[in-house]
Every structure is written in C-alpha cells, then in structure tokens.
Amino acid sequence: MKKLFLDTNIVLDLLAHRMPFYTETAKLFSLADMKKIKLSISALCLADANYILSRQNPESEVRKILRKFKVLVNVLPLDDKITDLALNSEFKDFEDAIQYFTAIENDQDLIITRNQPDFKESKIPVMTPGEFIKTIKK
C-alpha cells in the first residue's frame, strides 16, 4: 500500500472545500477510506489546519471537523531531529522544510501538494492529487 504524505494545502482543500481543488482531493480521501492508500500528515499540519479553519468557523465546529478528518489520516510526529534538519536545510520556507523532513523521516512514498516547486529538491516523488489519481487509473 502506497504511503502518501499530504502537504497542508491539500488538507485545507478538503476541509475548507476549496474549489476547484476539492474534487480531486476528495478522491484521494476516498481511496484512503477504501484502504487502497495510506495518508499521513505532520502534527504541524493539524495545528495549521486548526488555526486557519478557526478564523472562519467556531472552535467547536473546527474540532468536530478535525476529529472526523483524523480517522482518515496518520499524524506523524514533529521531533527534534526533524526540526534540526529543517532549520539547517536549503528550503526557503521553514514550514515546507518541516513537511519534507517529516515525510522523509517517516518513509513516505511520495508527497502530495499543489506547490510542487517548493519541493523541487525532493528525494521522493512529488505530485498533485490529480497526477497521483492518474497513476492509479493506469
């Protein structure tokens, strides 16, 4: 089973129903629900999603959304090693560095994001949701 690491933008596309990105992202989560793929996120991603969603929704509603969401993903830890790797990396964006090293340190097969240029030096494949879904259909 493929292990896909989701960048924060993908999680927000799903949880905030951001169009036109929601449709392809929802297909990924359907595949996970059918146990065809395993989806993981960083602990930072969950905190970021909570913060962003709370700016537009009551906190109680956001917690309800995140509890339902958590059933579909594995939350990977953010630890001292990942933080050091991110701080000492060539990534311009610290959050992207944390995401990348969380994926690497947890043996993820690929990263799913809409911001592929942010991961141009990645040692593992980086795809959009649509690109990955096309590989499943082949």
Side-chain angles (χ1 to χ4, degrees):
M1 181 181 317
K2 284 244 186 230
K3 297 183 291 182
L4 281 63
F5 182 84
L6 305 178
D7 195 8
T8 304
N9 58 58
I10 301 302
V11 171
L12 291 171
D13 290 346
L14 179 82
L15 298 180
H17 294 259
R18 297 195 301 198
M19 290 300 193
F21 313 110
Y22 173 82
T23 306
E24 287 182 340
T25 301
K27 289 177 186 175
L28 276 183
F29 283 88
S30 291
L31 290 169
D33 193 38
M34 293 183 287
K35 309 288 188 228
K36 294 189 179 205
I37 57 173
K38 184 173 183 177
L39 301 178
S40 295
I41 62 169
S42 69
L44 177 62
C45 175
L46 198 61
D48 288 345
N50 179 73
Y51 174 77
I52 292 166
L53 293 171
S54 292
R55 293 185 349 206
Q56 300 170 354
N57 302 286
E59 185 63 35
S60 60
E61 180 68 21
V62 173
R63 292 288 173 95
K64 191 175 175 182
I65 291 167
L66 293 177
R67 278 193 294 274
K68 288 180 182 178
F69 169 73
K70 170 107 178 33
V71 173
L72 296 172
V73 297
N74 181 35
V75 179
L76 302 174
L78 172 57
D79 61 19
D80 195 51
K81 181 178 182 183
I82 291 168
T83 304
D84 282 344
L85 288 167
L87 285 170
N88 294 297
S89 74
E90 298 297 320
F91 275 83
K92 291 179 184 171
D93 185 303
F94 182 61
E95 190 265 346
D96 287 337
I98 287 175
Q99 300 292 48
Y100 175 71
F101 288 109
T102 300
I104 293 293
E105 290 298 307
N106 288 280
D107 301 316
Q108 299 298 289
D109 295 316
L110 60 127
I111 296 171
I112 303 292
T113 184
R114 283 188 294 102
N115 297 325
Q116 289 170 298
D118 294 345
F119 297 93
K120 65 182 173 223
E121 302 297 322
S122 178
K123 292 184 172 123
I124 59 176
V126 179
M127 297 181 183
T128 65
E131 290 170 339
F132 178 76
I133 290 164
K134 286 177 187 170
T135 69
I136 297 288
K137 293 180 178 180
K138 288 182 181 177

